[in-house]
Amino acid sequence: MLNRISLEHSSFRDELHAEFNRYLMVEAARFPRAESLRIDFHCHDHNSDVPDELWGRILRLPETWLKTGKLVKCLQGNGSDVLTITNHNNARSCWKLLEKGHDVLPAAEFTCFFSEYDLYVHVLTYGFTPAQEAILNRKRGDIYEFLRYTAEHDIPVILPHPLYFYTTNPGISPELFEKLALMFQRFEVLNGQRDVWQSVLTLHWAQGLNEEKLQRYSRKHHLNPADFGVSPLRTKTLTGGSDDHMGMFAGQCGSYLWVPNLAQRRQHTPLSRLALEALRAGHAAPFGDVGENQKLTIALLDYFSQIATRIEDPGLLRMMFHRGELEDKVACFAIANALLEMKKHKKTQLFIAYVHDALHGKKPDWMIRWNVSSDFRFCVMQLEKIAESRKQSPERFVATVNEAIAELFTGLNKLMIKRLRNAAPAFGNMLLDDLSTESLTRRFEIPSQVSALLFGSGGKNLSGVNVKDLLDNLMFPALVSLVLAGAQVASTRVLYKNRAFLNEFAGHVGRSHHPQRALYLTDTLRDKNGVSNSLSGKLAAIQRSDLPVDFLICHADAAAEPHLHVVKPLAEFSFPKLGEQTFRVPDVLEIARAFYRGGYDRVVCSTEGPMVLVALFLKYMFNVPTYFFMHTDWIDFVKHTTDLNQHERDRIRRLLRALYHQFDGVFVLNSDHREWLTGHQMGLPENKVHLTAHHTEPVGFNSVPVRKSELIAGATEHTPVLFTACRISKEKGVLELPEIYRKARLAIPDLKLVIAGSGPAESELRKALPEASFLGWISRERLAQLYAGLDLFVFPSQFDTFGNVVLEAFSHGMPVLAYNCKGPKDIIQHGRNGYLVNNIDEMSAQIVAHFNDRERHTAMRREAHKRVADYQAEPIMRQFLHDMGLTVVDAEAEQRSAA
């Protein structure tokens, strides 16, 4: 049996929190509180005006607009005894406070360059003079020279957020940390804007640095730790800081500094000098609350709110000629245009300003609540909750804001869908009532001329309506949703941009490995179609073996199960001309929260509906590998169900090519598909396309063969009966059945045909085959009886990528007749357990030949049963998980080995 080897996410995160909190409790007891000073070693104000992030520089944005006085008030309000401000590459705020008579520990967060790694590292630096600041800025281009200078002049430094750094070098390895261990005596182990996983990894690593390791590293890298003020004999000093930029969390995280005889010494010595002495001596203990991404989400929401009201046009030429890759400049161009457009929308500007106020404890004016339309009243109520929670505990404030973000995003998206339906009926009618594959493909275009897009071109493109009129109704909820989602995406992306390195570092430390677990997204499950049946079988296999994979669906009625999450749709749409499938619009942030809570580290998607967009959203947000499981050959579908010409079919192929290239791997169900995807038309690398299969499901009940006379009046057990079961639609080839059946009946007059299933072509097929027995959609148990009691399964589809019904028939001993094409040709062994033919005439002839050779029927049924053994769940699922990089163990093999 396969068993997952990773921890459940809840226990993983809970254990990390419990471990770190135990560490903080020990640290809190290290020093007498009466002889300890509280200091936040890491916070910023408006003088952090040149960001390290490339996009911030391209857009000409500071890291914060926070005034120094407000930061000082926040620090003092949260109990800081000593003031320090660590702006990027300058101590201007510290100097100005000193000029005004404040007792301040001069500090800055210098960005230093590690040339051999093409890496920028932040270094918190304390107790320097204005003259030394100028020298430090000149030396920060070489981290070795910078740290030698600080050591020579006894300027204490701390390496903040060690696992978060700036680099375009993908080859960073844990070996870097061997050098950092030799170059730094002090490490920030608690950062208020980072998550608990990074904090615990840093803690484990720093606590494991002993004299033997440092001496070994010194010999290996030819570095003398004494050059950097590091002594292998001293225990590393671990500190904390809030890393606050917005004046909301400053002072809530920090360090206790032990100053013996503090009461007496503070009467004659400035606290800043005492703090500096304690830091040099290593008498520091971190305090505070290490979070997940919630605090950073709040900080970024406040930041984005201020950007939306303060941004100025960065200039197109300036962006074009700025340093950075083209994709960075294009992204910044799009962001700048969205934000500048937001500035023109007064209602949006006003609400965004209220968000900023609420985050700082100010409620919207009472007149706003009474004057706002009923559509937006819930927005004001959420802002009031945020403002009220600011006066409560920090934990309650963080929880309330994140709950409000979720409520606002969901409510605004529902409002957009409502307005889309109400304000654009032409749009809705085009998409919902008259939409077919042909009309969608031919309308799938957007004018290249901007004025035509915004003001209407008169032509029928994808929009079909005047976009400007539509945007007027959607602008406010869309832009606010963008800000809300942007804060959550950015906070998570920032924390996990180095995810691959974090996993490698956990291996280096030998502890706190992130769980290996996949979230499987699909638009269809528990529905009446072949893809749904296949996925239901995969879910059942996962549930039986408790594998590290969970499904997630968006469904109004389905209930959650083990390994199955269900989220409610924001809206549902049906497309009559595309079949019975209902398209459900999910709340993408709700799924993102489920992904985070579930401890997943990779995504699989099985359908090209809304969930494929969610999968790519999660890939970008969490920086995780993402895989696509290809069930449907859309090119073949279009070819068999439409009259689109080659040029129009190529449009779909290019769209699919662009989509599949976004994934780290694509799973296919047949060798033809693999060759197509890796060929020149699609161009996927061979190592990214994995051949897999569906598997048979345990029957779980005794299949009593159906009596033919129950289905067909006058039939006996010797009456030859054909059987087919599938979705009755054109692409399934069912409209070929009348010709196949009538040609075979010329040789076998008493031949009968039974058809199970339903679909859009059912009415047409019934008219063409009035002599057939139609059963509609039937239960799995009834289907098994038919397989066991009837004679030959006829599968006329040339569209299916696999053919689950072939395996279903085999599992009950029924031979199968199918076309020699992708899917069936990989399963059926011609002449042993079924037949492969090339056209209608051959299919009719093979039916005749089969019933003329009844002596072979028993042997063919036996061979069909035997073929099922090649499609068992365990080996197929094992390979599937392996191709996704998930490690599984064979528990039975382990037990045998142990014995």
Side-chain angles (χ1 to χ4, degrees):
M1 176 184 288
L2 298 175
N3 289 286
R4 68 167 177 263
I5 62 172
S6 59
L7 295 169
E8 290 283 354
H9 173 66
S10 57
S11 61
F12 172 71
R13 292 280 170 178
D14 290 345
E15 287 179 9
L16 291 178
H17 276 288
E19 180 178 1
F20 202 78
N21 286 334
R22 286 194 297 271
Y23 163 73
L24 291 178
M25 288 176 64
V26 171
E27 290 295 291
R30 275 180 64 196
F31 309 128
R33 192 59 54 89
E35 294 187 338
S36 300
L37 296 172
R38 280 175 62 115
I39 184 171
D40 184 343
F41 272 127
H42 194 173
C43 55
H44 301 262
D45 71 9
H46 67 100
N47 278 312
S48 280
D49 49 2
V50 180
D52 281 324
E53 295 284 359
L54 176 63
W55 287 15
R57 296 198 302 275
I58 293 176
L59 293 169
R60 204 160 53 186
L61 295 170
E63 287 204 348
T64 178
W65 288 269
L66 179 64
K67 297 300 182 184
T68 305
K70 187 170 182 180
L71 175 59
V72 169
K73 183 178 179 181
C74 184
L75 287 167
Q76 292 174 335
N78 284 318
S80 292
D81 300 307
V82 183
L83 296 178
T84 190
I85 301 174
T86 53
N87 287 322
H88 288 296
N89 304 318
N90 76 84
R92 291 195 298 267
S93 296
C94 294
W95 306 137
K96 289 180 180 178
L97 286 172
L98 284 168
E99 289 174 3
K100 294 179 179 179
H102 291 274
D103 179 23
V104 178
L105 174 61
E109 185 174 22
F110 290 99
T111 302
C112 300
F113 187 56
F114 226 137
S115 59
E116 66 261 48
Y117 295 103
D118 191 24
L119 174 73
Y120 290 94
V121 176
H122 287 177
V123 181
L124 293 169
T125 310
Y126 305 89
F128 50 82
T129 66
Q132 289 173 327
E133 178 187 357
I135 297 171
L136 289 168
N137 264 309
R138 290 198 298 270
K139 290 185 176 292
R140 66 186 180 88
D142 182 336
I143 192 169
Y144 295 104
E145 288 301 311
F146 183 93
L147 293 177
R148 287 189 178 102
Y149 179 84
T150 59
E152 180 183 351
H153 293 83
D154 200 18
I155 300 172
V157 295
I158 299 172
L159 181 66
H161 43 68
L163 294 176
Y164 179 81
F165 38 77
Y166 301 91
T167 184
T168 57
N169 178 9
I172 298 297
S173 74
E175 187 178 81
L176 162 68
F177 282 74
E178 296 176 0
K179 294 184 178 181
L180 294 176
L182 297 170
M183 299 165 68
F184 287 89
Q185 183 64 40
R186 307 166 192 87
F187 297 95
E188 181 185 71
V189 73
L190 193 163
N191 182 294
Q193 300 295 322
R194 309 295 154 184
D195 80 330
V196 68
W197 185 35
Q198 295 184 34
S199 299
V200 171
L201 283 175
T202 303
L203 176 64
H204 288 161
W205 170 74
Q207 288 180 330
L209 295 174
N210 53 38
E211 180 183 0
E212 185 275 327
K213 280 186 180 180
L214 293 178
Q215 289 177 347
R216 176 157 44 90
Y217 296 161
S218 178
R219 292 191 298 270
K220 177 180 178 180
H221 298 292
H222 308 289
L223 290 174
N224 183 0
D227 292 344
F228 308 103
V230 174
S231 170
L233 300 176
R234 288 179 58 189
T235 302
K236 296 295 185 183
T237 300
L238 304 181
T239 67
S242 68
D243 201 3
D244 185 31
H245 288 65
M246 299 296 134
M248 289 187 287
F249 304 112
Q252 292 180 10
C253 297
S255 299
Y256 292 115
L257 296 175
W258 179 44
V259 181
N261 222 7
L262 175 60
Q264 182 179 349
R265 295 195 64 195
R266 71 187 302 165
Q267 296 178 20
H268 310 287
T269 307
L271 295 184
S272 60
R273 187 179 303 172
L274 297 176
L276 191 60
E277 288 179 10
L279 181 59
R280 284 173 174 150
H283 297 159
F287 72 83
D289 175 50
V290 61
E292 303 291 342
N293 68 328
Q294 291 92 340
K295 285 185 180 179
L296 187 55
T297 295
I298 295 171
L300 289 174
L301 177 59
D302 193 28
Y303 183 55
F304 291 168
S305 299
Q306 293 181 73
I307 290 175
T309 56
R310 296 172 183 263
I311 189 171
E312 300 295 336
D313 192 337
L316 179 59
L317 292 178
R318 180 182 170 279
M319 287 194 289
M320 286 175 57
F321 295 117
H322 200 285
R323 188 179 68 178
E325 299 296 328
L326 178 61
E327 61 184 24
D328 293 313
K329 298 174 184 179
V330 171
C332 288
F333 175 77
I335 291 170
N337 273 269
L339 292 172
L340 291 169
E341 185 65 33
M342 195 180 296
K343 285 190 73 173
K344 294 190 294 185
H345 199 268
K346 292 183 178 179
K347 185 187 297 183
T348 306
Q349 279 280 289
L350 189 61
F351 183 79
I352 293 296
Y354 288 147
V355 170
H356 170 69
D357 290 343
L359 290 172
H360 290 269
K362 182 180 178 182
K363 288 185 179 182
D365 187 274
W366 65 271
M367 292 185 64
I368 300 298
R369 182 168 186 176
W370 291 109
N371 290 332
V372 73
S373 71
S374 58
D375 281 347
F376 297 113
R377 197 155 291 158
F378 76 96
C379 297
V380 177
M381 292 174 63
Q382 293 299 329
L383 293 184
E384 290 175 341
K385 288 181 182 179
I386 292 173
E388 289 171 359
S389 70
R390 191 75 175 91
K391 303 169 187 176
Q392 300 170 8
S393 69
E395 294 78 14
R396 184 65 254 164
F397 171 66
V398 170
T400 300
V401 175
N402 281 273
E403 291 166 5
I405 290 173
E407 293 292 333
L408 285 167
F409 184 82
T410 301
L412 289 169
N413 276 271
K414 287 181 177 179
L415 179 60
M416 278 193 287
I417 293 169
K418 174 185 173 183
R419 290 191 167 190
L420 185 64
R421 284 170 163 165
N422 293 341
F427 182 73
N429 290 338
M430 184 201 75
L431 283 182
L432 301 182
D433 297 335
D434 302 322
L435 185 63
S436 65
T437 307
E438 293 165 82
S439 63
L440 176 60
T441 302
R442 288 170 176 152
R443 291 172 184 263
F444 193 81
E445 192 51 86
I446 295 175
S448 58
Q449 183 182 358
V450 175
S451 63
L453 172 65
L454 293 180
F455 304 111
S457 61
K460 289 186 177 181
N461 52 41
L462 180 62
S463 63
V465 295
N466 188 308
V467 178
K468 182 177 183 298
D469 291 344
L470 187 60
L471 289 180
D472 283 342
N473 281 291
L474 302 180
M475 183 68 73
F476 173 76
L479 291 176
V480 175
S481 295
L482 183 65
V483 171
L484 296 171
Q488 293 227 328
V489 172
S491 67
T492 308
R493 179 74 180 177
V494 163
L495 290 179
Y496 291 109
K497 73 172 190 174
N498 297 327
R499 179 185 283 271
F501 177 78
L502 293 176
N503 287 325
E504 185 180 1
F505 191 79
H508 174 72
V509 173
R511 298 175 65 180
S512 303
H513 297 86
H514 194 285
Q516 289 188 319
R517 196 166 183 81
L519 185 65
Y520 202 126
L521 305 177
T522 174
D523 292 287
T524 181
L525 191 77
R526 308 303 191 232
D527 297 316
K528 293 181 178 180
N529 60 66
V531 174
S532 175
N533 289 342
S534 301
L535 293 176
S536 294
K538 193 176 293 291
L539 173 59
I542 290 167
Q543 291 170 329
R544 282 195 302 272
S545 298
D546 196 21
L547 299 178
V549 181
D550 293 333
F551 272 74
L552 186 145
I553 61 173
C554 182
H555 204 286
D557 304 315
E561 304 172 19
H563 292 276
L564 174 63
H565 300 287
V566 180
V567 299
K568 300 299 182 184
L570 297 176
E572 295 183 333
F573 301 95
S574 61
F575 299 84
K577 294 191 177 181
L578 291 180
E580 299 87 355
Q581 180 61 38
T582 298
F583 288 79
R584 304 173 180 99
V585 180
D587 184 332
V588 65
L589 288 188
E590 182 181 1
I591 296 176
R593 291 190 294 273
F595 185 89
Y596 188 79
R597 287 194 304 267
Y600 305 102
D601 69 339
R602 63 206 71 203
V603 182
V604 192
C605 184
S606 257
T607 46
E608 291 92 343
M611 282 299 186
V612 79
L613 301 178
V614 176
L616 295 177
F617 178 85
L618 295 177
K619 171 186 172 75
Y620 177 81
M621 182 174 182
F622 291 94
N623 194 22
V624 293
T626 309
Y627 301 87
F628 191 82
F629 196 120
M630 200 169 174
H631 288 272
T632 305
D633 185 340
W634 289 108
I635 301 301
D636 217 25
F637 175 85
V638 168
K639 188 175 180 179
H640 283 85
T641 60
T642 73
D643 61 355
L644 293 176
N645 59 39
Q646 185 62 48
H647 169 73
E648 291 165 334
R649 292 200 298 270
D650 279 344
R651 180 177 293 176
I652 296 175
R653 178 179 59 80
R654 294 186 189 103
L655 177 65
L656 291 173
R657 181 175 62 193
L659 174 66
Y660 296 149
H661 271 271
Q662 303 306 309
F663 290 89
D664 297 277
V666 177
F667 290 90
V668 295
L669 290 163
N670 60 75
S671 53
D672 284 5
H673 237 153
R674 190 178 194 279
E675 291 176 9
W676 178 65
L677 286 175
T678 57
H680 73 279
Q681 286 193 326
M682 300 300 281
L684 269 69
E686 288 189 10
N687 64 344
K688 289 190 175 182
V689 181
H690 309 286
L691 186 61
T692 185
H694 293 314
H695 54 80
T696 56
E697 279 295 289
V699 175
F701 47 81
N702 292 323
S703 302
V704 179
V706 67
R707 297 180 63 83
K708 294 176 181 178
S709 57
E710 294 178 24
L711 302 174
I712 305 160
T716 70
E717 296 311 300
H718 299 290
T719 302
V721 181
L722 303 175
F723 179 49
T724 190
C726 63
R727 181 173 183 267
I728 303 179
S729 55
K730 185 178 179 181
E731 76 276 4
K732 292 289 188 177
V734 294
L735 297 183
E736 294 181 5
L737 283 174
E739 185 177 355
I740 293 168
Y741 178 58
R742 288 185 182 122
K743 285 186 175 182
R745 285 190 70 185
L746 294 177
I748 311 175
D750 62 339
L751 182 68
K752 304 299 181 183
L753 175 61
V754 175
I755 300 172
S758 60
E762 183 176 354
S763 177
E764 183 178 355
L765 188 61
R766 282 179 178 271
K767 290 179 182 178
L769 277 172
E771 60 269 57
S773 298
F774 287 85
L775 306 181
W777 195 272
I778 59 178
S779 70
R780 187 164 171 246
E781 291 79 4
R782 182 60 170 167
L783 190 59
Q785 294 173 353
L786 296 168
Y787 283 132
L790 304 183
D791 299 309
L792 179 65
F793 191 89
V794 179
F795 188 50
S797 173
Q798 299 185 56
F799 160 74
D800 285 64
T801 56
F802 186 75
N804 274 332
V805 289
V806 176
L807 284 185
E808 287 177 3
F810 280 1
S811 67
H812 297 281
M814 176 177 274
V816 178
L817 169 61
Y819 284 119
N820 187 20
C821 62
K822 62 179 184 295
K825 77 174 186 179
D826 289 343
I827 307 172
I828 297 172
Q829 297 164 313
H830 182 72
R832 292 180 60 185
N833 44 41
Y835 308 98
L836 296 169
V837 298
N838 296 305
N839 53 53
I840 289 175
D841 289 337
E842 289 185 13
M843 190 166 279
S844 299
Q846 192 62 69
I847 292 171
V848 174
H850 177 76
F851 286 108
N852 285 339
D853 191 8
R854 289 181 177 269
E855 292 181 1
R856 298 188 64 245
H857 290 191
T858 300
M860 293 193 79
R861 281 189 171 274
R862 186 168 57 249
E863 288 295 322
H865 272 299
K866 287 173 62 176
R867 184 60 169 155
V868 171
D870 297 327
Y871 292 91
Q872 295 302 297
E874 183 172 341
I876 291 173
M877 291 302 297
R878 181 188 297 279
Q879 187 62 44
F880 175 61
L881 297 181
H882 176 270
D883 289 337
M884 280 198 295
L886 285 172
T887 306
V888 293
V889 296
D890 189 328
E892 294 176 0
E894 278 196 341
Q895 291 173 0
R896 289 194 299 270
S897 176

